[in-house]
Amino acid sequence: MAKPFKNPVDKMSPETQTRARAKTEAVLKEMPLHELRNARNLTQQQIAESMNIKQAAVSRLEHRTEMYIRTLSRFIASMDGSLDIIANFPDVSVRISKFGDLDPKRDFQ
C-alpha cells in the first residue's frame, strides 16, 4: 500500500512558510513573457491563433528585448489580460492613461 503524500510545506515553520509565500509572490510579479505564458498554461500555438499570427512569430516576440506597446498589449490580451503602463517615482506611482485607448484586438502590425 502506498504512503500518503505529505506536503513539504506542512513541515516548515510558520516563519519559513511566510518567507516562502513572500518569495513566490515576488517571483510571480516579474517574469519574462514566455514564463508568463507558461504560467497561464498556454502554448505558443494558442497565442498565435488568438493573435492571428504564426507560432514562430510568437517565439520571436517572447525573446525580443523591445517591442511596440500595441504588440505587447495584444500579446497580453491573447491571454485574457490587459496591459497597464505604470511610471514609478520615489513618492508616487502614476498610470499612464494615453495607452489606455489602444485596441488590443486591432490587426497585428
Side-chain angles (χ1 to χ4, degrees):
M1 181 174 211
K3 289 184 179 181
F5 176 76
K6 286 194 173 189
N7 189 343
V9 174
D10 295 340
K11 296 179 183 178
M12 295 180 185
S13 71
E15 295 83 16
T16 302
Q17 289 181 23
T18 299
R19 283 195 309 273
R21 272 192 296 276
K23 187 171 185 175
T24 299
E25 288 175 16
V27 167
L28 291 175
K29 287 183 179 182
E30 182 178 326
M31 62 178 61
L33 285 177
H34 72 280
E35 288 181 14
L36 177 59
R37 176 185 47 76
N38 286 331
R40 304 286 302 163
N41 294 316
L42 294 167
T43 65
Q44 287 183 341
Q45 185 61 41
Q46 289 171 307
I47 299 293
E49 289 169 6
S50 177
M51 294 180 72
N52 198 26
I53 60 176
K54 295 185 186 285
Q55 175 272 325
V58 173
S59 179
R60 286 191 301 274
L61 283 174
E62 290 181 342
H63 293 92
R64 282 185 185 170
T65 56
E66 295 182 6
M67 70 176 68
Y68 289 111
I69 292 170
R70 183 182 314 273
T71 303
L72 180 57
S73 180
R74 289 193 67 238
F75 191 98
I76 299 300
S78 72
M79 295 185 282
D80 291 327
S82 62
L83 179 67
D84 288 325
I85 306 294
I86 307 293
N88 295 301
F89 300 96
D91 58 335
V92 68
S93 293
V94 179
R95 181 178 181 273
I96 308 298
S97 60
K98 175 64 178 162
F99 303 115
D101 54 3
L102 289 177
D103 181 6
K105 305 289 185 205
R106 187 173 161 191
D107 291 339
F108 182 70
Q109 300 291 333

